[in-house]
Amino acid sequence: MDMSSSSRKVSIPASALQGSLRDYRAPTGPDLVGRTDGFFEWQDLRRRNDVWPYARSTETAPATYCKVRSDADRSFQGINFASQDYLSLSSHPRIKQAAIEAVERYGVHSAGSAALLGNTANSLDLEAKFSDFLGGREVVLYPTGWSAGFASVQGFVRPDDHVVMDVLAHSCLQEGARAATQNIHHFAHLNTNAVIRRLSKIREKFPDAGILVVTESLFSMHADMPDFAGLRQACDTYGATLLIDCAHDLGAMGPGGLGNLGTAGMLDAADILIGSFSKSFASNGGFVSVKTRAAAEYLKYFSATQTFSNALSPVQAAVVGTALDIIRSDEGEERRQRLMDNILYLRKTVENTGLRALGLPSPIVPVFVGSEALGRLIARRMPDFGGIANLVEYPAVPKAESRFRFQVMADHTRSDVDRVVVALGSALEAARTDLELCVTVDQSPLKLSGTSTSAAA
């Protein structure tokens, strides 16, 4: 801990604590490249004042304690609650051995798309294993989780079809919808009644149109989940197809690792089930799972990110397959139990300090802050006290509802939890002082909407 940091002089321009990425999303002007300068000026102002907490890199394995280098080339180390290795499998001896053996047999590269000689025996074995894991569904593999999400919408939806989507659905799903159709209907987060109203109006006007309802089994910024049964019933009533993204809970939660859908006994509710390997399966990659071979084969040739991307590398496929073996074993059950114990202890410890943990118990524990300015100053101070966690701010979450997204691992200990919560509290206290000193540093007024929260009370 850098004890001297509490007395560090603060001279941060107010403009570095204001604004958001959304301000620069749609620049105008004829110079497509040059018009990005405004964003860089704002970003670099934040970087130079140590309030740009993104694009950090690990200098050691993403374990529970790691060394990190910031985007401004500042090195620090601490308790790591910023990596999404939920089951702590990324450095597991069996995982590393599987990768080594795959390299020895196949080299490191798939060297082709799945349609053109990119598959290996490892990827075919992984498809079969995942099919068995998901109750016999057909599985199509993708090189990233994002590409799987994009493909799950773009591969099936056509211009005359309609997409009814939770407003907080992941970027890959949103972009897949935009690529497929202009008929996109967002509904208020988790509002099943709003889905029913949308479906009723669409079906009344377009009796023969395809309709895709899109949601997630665990939303990553809010740690909450939808009413699976209600959505399934609505889709049945109005002849719609249900897509569920289970990226964050599959493997890490539920009976046998089947996530929130498994806990609810509704794995079969999803017509299209998608997921990512980058959370619980120790690798990049993702999948789309459907109920018929016809649908799977269609995706292989009509979803662009499968047809025109290199296939999963043999190393990735071997790693994911080994991770799945562990997840389905007694060891996997033990790791999920340790993970949930850590989740519950973190939530309790956070709330005992007067802070607020959002959502339901899951590997994602969002801790509410409120003001974007306060959040940026807390993120600036956290490394001084030995804590590593990710700040999430507008537009990824609603304005004035910034939060720290703590990502819990099976290998965390109670001591790790205690230390990172102390670090958060110390950083919050220091940030409040910093905030007072930052208000008059430059001429722009500092708008502090959202600071009157339980985190800043």
Side-chain angles (χ1 to χ4, degrees):
M1 180 186 302
D2 179 9
M3 297 303 293
S4 65
S5 66
S6 61
S7 59
R8 188 167 59 191
K9 289 185 178 180
V10 180
S11 58
I12 300 174
S15 50
L17 301 178
Q18 296 175 331
S20 76
L21 288 169
R22 178 159 289 182
D23 299 333
Y24 305 94
R25 183 172 182 174
T28 58
D31 185 353
L32 290 174
V33 176
R35 68 192 192 185
T36 65
D37 290 350
F39 165 72
F40 179 73
E41 290 170 5
W42 173 75
Q43 180 204 42
D44 204 43
L45 179 68
R46 289 183 61 179
R47 180 184 291 110
R48 286 184 279 108
N49 286 279
D50 205 16
V51 289
W52 180 257
Y54 307 110
R56 298 179 294 184
S57 56
T58 57
E59 298 189 322
T60 55
T64 57
Y65 189 92
C66 71
K67 187 175 182 181
V68 172
R69 186 165 296 277
S70 77
D71 189 40
D73 205 34
R74 176 188 175 196
S75 182
F76 56 92
Q77 53 193 332
I79 305 298
N80 178 21
F81 278 81
S83 295
Q84 55 193 25
D85 186 20
Y86 299 150
L87 294 179
S88 299
L89 293 180
S90 67
S91 294
H92 191 289
R94 285 180 61 189
I95 293 290
K96 292 194 286 187
Q97 186 59 39
I100 291 168
E101 291 176 2
V103 169
E104 291 294 334
R105 181 175 181 183
Y106 294 103
V108 298
H109 186 30
S110 64
S113 74
L116 298 174
L117 207 63
N119 280 330
T120 64
N122 285 351
S123 54
L124 298 180
D125 181 58
L126 178 58
E127 286 180 350
K129 281 184 175 181
F130 242 87
S131 176
D132 183 65
F133 178 49
L134 298 176
R137 300 170 67 110
E138 297 286 335
V139 172
V140 182
L141 301 178
Y142 288 79
T144 66
W146 198 98
S147 66
F150 180 93
S152 67
V153 183
Q154 175 270 324
F156 288 117
V157 173
R158 296 296 173 262
D160 290 338
D161 297 329
H162 293 253
V163 177
V164 178
M165 178 179 294
D166 191 297
V167 69
L168 297 185
H170 193 272
S171 163
C172 61
L173 302 166
Q174 303 275 4
E175 293 300 326
R178 291 189 187 102
T181 182
Q182 294 183 351
N183 303 320
I184 302 171
H185 315 265
H186 290 100
F187 61 88
H189 183 49
L190 304 185
N191 190 330
T192 304
N193 288 331
V195 176
I196 294 170
R197 289 193 296 271
R198 290 282 190 182
L199 291 176
S200 176
K201 291 178 180 178
I202 295 168
R203 187 53 76 207
E204 181 179 3
K205 190 172 182 180
F206 302 100
D208 298 320
I211 307 175
L212 181 67
V213 175
V214 178
T215 190
E216 301 182 18
S217 56
L218 176 64
F219 283 84
S220 64
M221 300 301 175
H222 292 66
D224 52 14
M225 58 186 246
D227 173 8
F228 301 125
L231 290 176
R232 181 66 265 170
Q233 183 176 355
C235 288
D236 289 342
T237 300
Y238 294 100
T241 300
L242 180 60
L243 183 155
I244 301 177
D245 178 356
C246 59
H248 283 276
D249 55 318
L250 190 71
M253 298 176 66
L258 289 173
N260 287 331
L261 282 167
T263 299
M266 297 204 67
L267 188 67
D268 199 48
D271 298 300
I272 305 170
L273 185 68
I274 69 171
S276 171
F277 300 141
S278 59
K279 280 71 180 176
S280 299
F281 297 88
S283 177
N284 289 6
F287 71 90
V288 178
S289 173
V290 288
K291 294 181 179 180
T292 68
R293 183 174 176 186
E297 290 294 329
Y298 190 85
L299 276 179
K300 291 177 182 180
Y301 298 95
F302 290 93
S303 63
T305 53
Q306 223 270 350
T307 311
F308 300 105
S309 293
N310 262 34
L312 277 178
S313 78
V315 180
Q316 291 171 310
V319 162
V320 176
T322 303
L324 181 56
D325 290 341
I326 296 171
I327 284 167
R328 301 186 74 182
S329 70
D330 290 342
E331 179 185 352
E333 191 62 40
E334 184 268 337
R335 284 179 177 270
R336 280 189 293 278
Q337 186 58 58
R338 281 197 285 125
L339 174 62
M340 183 54 69
D341 289 345
N342 289 334
I343 291 163
L344 295 174
Y345 185 65
L346 174 58
R347 294 180 67 89
K348 177 182 176 182
T349 305
V350 162
E351 296 194 345
N352 283 346
T353 68
L355 299 171
R356 179 155 58 102
L358 305 176
L360 303 169
S362 78
I364 302 159
V365 180
V367 179
F368 189 79
V369 171
S371 158
E372 287 79 14
L374 183 61
R376 292 172 193 179
L377 291 170
I378 296 171
R380 176 175 177 264
R381 288 294 199 169
M382 278 278 280
D384 297 338
F385 299 100
I388 304 172
N390 291 317
L391 174 66
V392 182
E393 59 180 61
Y394 179 81
V397 295
K399 200 166 184 63
E401 292 188 17
S402 68
R403 63 204 62 181
F404 281 86
R405 188 172 76 167
F406 286 78
Q407 296 175 146
V408 188
M409 299 185 228
D411 282 356
H412 279 128
T413 65
R414 290 201 166 195
S415 175
D416 294 334
V417 172
D418 291 336
R419 290 168 65 189
V420 82
V421 173
V422 168
L424 176 62
S426 300
L428 172 59
E429 183 177 355
R432 286 173 178 154
T433 301
D434 292 345
L435 192 57
E436 294 174 0
L437 296 174
C438 288
V439 172
T440 59
V441 168
D442 68 6
Q443 297 301 312
S444 55
L446 185 57
K447 299 176 183 178
L448 302 180
S449 61
T451 55
S452 297
T453 67
S454 57

